[in-house]
Amino acid sequence: MKGHTGPRESRFDVDREQMGRDLVSLVLTVVELLRQLMERQAIRRVEQGDLDDAQVEQIGETLMHLEERMTELCDQHGLRLEDLNLDLGPLGSLLPRA
């Protein structure tokens, strides 16, 4: 049959490695977005005086470790934190940097 594609033929070429990299990038982007939101919330709580000194110290250490781990994960997958920032067109970028 003319135009018939067999089970081994595909209508489009799927690069499985690229798909894997894109998926890792997407997951790390979501994790980085959540990390930044947590950081902003923690800063708000510190500024409001809702936390004692020990809590402030613990939050600071936790956020520092999270950022270090994100950097490590990006390095492992050949990404930079800047690579995770999506351009949303007229809305700007997804991950604003302070």
Side-chain angles (χ1 to χ4, degrees):
M1 275 192 269
K2 189 175 184 177
H4 179 265
T5 59
R8 293 185 184 178
E9 295 179 35
S10 177
R11 292 181 184 207
F12 56 94
D13 186 24
V14 176
D15 182 348
R16 291 180 189 263
E17 283 185 38
Q18 184 61 44
M19 280 180 37
R21 284 189 299 271
D22 291 346
L23 181 58
V24 166
S25 179
L26 178 61
V27 169
L28 289 177
T29 298
V30 171
V31 171
E32 177 62 10
L33 177 62
L34 292 173
R35 188 196 68 75
Q36 287 188 20
L37 291 172
M38 287 173 30
E39 184 176 281
R40 286 189 205 117
Q41 181 64 26
I43 290 169
R44 260 188 243 117
R45 290 192 64 199
V46 168
E47 289 174 348
Q48 290 174 350
D50 292 346
L51 307 170
D52 62 35
D53 290 343
Q55 290 172 316
V56 170
E57 181 71 23
Q58 184 178 13
I59 287 173
E61 287 179 17
T62 300
L63 291 172
M64 185 175 62
H65 290 297
L66 282 172
E67 186 171 10
E68 288 172 0
R69 186 64 181 130
M70 278 300 297
T71 300
E72 290 171 9
L73 288 168
C74 285
D75 288 345
Q76 288 175 0
H77 296 285
L79 297 167
R80 298 171 302 148
L81 284 174
E82 296 81 29
D83 296 333
L84 304 180
N85 201 356
L86 302 176
D87 181 6
L88 302 176
L91 297 176
S93 60
L94 177 66
L95 302 171
R97 283 283 168 193

